[in-house]
Amino acid sequence: MANQVGPDTVSGTGQQPGQFASPEPASAPASGTVAGTPGVSEPHPFHGRPVSWVAVAFIIAGFLLGGLCLVFGPIWAGFWAGAGLAVIGGLLAMATDIFEDWY
């Protein structure tokens, strides 16, 4: 097996033991960039509108309720309540045009 902990695991790096590679010289980051992360302008923002996340929460809760009622039952009233909750979430998603939230 290859020596994976040696000082030169990638051929041609030329670093000595105890040295760390620095992709950029130590300086203040450019405006609008995240310190220490070259090429990243800002952290990944949270996508989607709150109403879209409510619709998704309804759908997930409906699937969980229906699935758990099938596993631990079968409790048909709980299954159909979960199916109805998922349908309500789907209708809410369609009514609020959830597919236009991507960006």
Side-chain angles (χ1 to χ4, degrees):
M1 188 166 201
N3 181 9
Q4 296 180 358
V5 294
D8 193 13
T9 57
V10 178
S11 177
T13 59
Q15 292 179 348
Q16 299 298 320
Q19 287 182 328
F20 295 102
S22 172
E24 296 180 352
S27 64
S31 64
T33 62
V34 176
T37 310
V40 176
S41 61
E42 63 184 51
H44 188 56
F46 186 72
H47 290 290
R49 295 173 294 162
V51 69
S52 301
W53 284 105
V54 168
V56 169
F58 271 68
I59 294 168
I60 290 173
F63 272 99
L64 282 174
L65 178 64
L68 289 174
C69 285
L70 282 179
V71 169
F72 294 114
I75 305 169
W76 292 108
F79 169 78
W80 289 112
L85 195 59
V87 167
I88 289 171
L91 292 174
L92 180 63
M94 279 190 345
T96 60
D97 204 16
I98 195 171
F99 289 114
E100 294 299 319
D101 283 353
W102 72 277
Y103 41 91

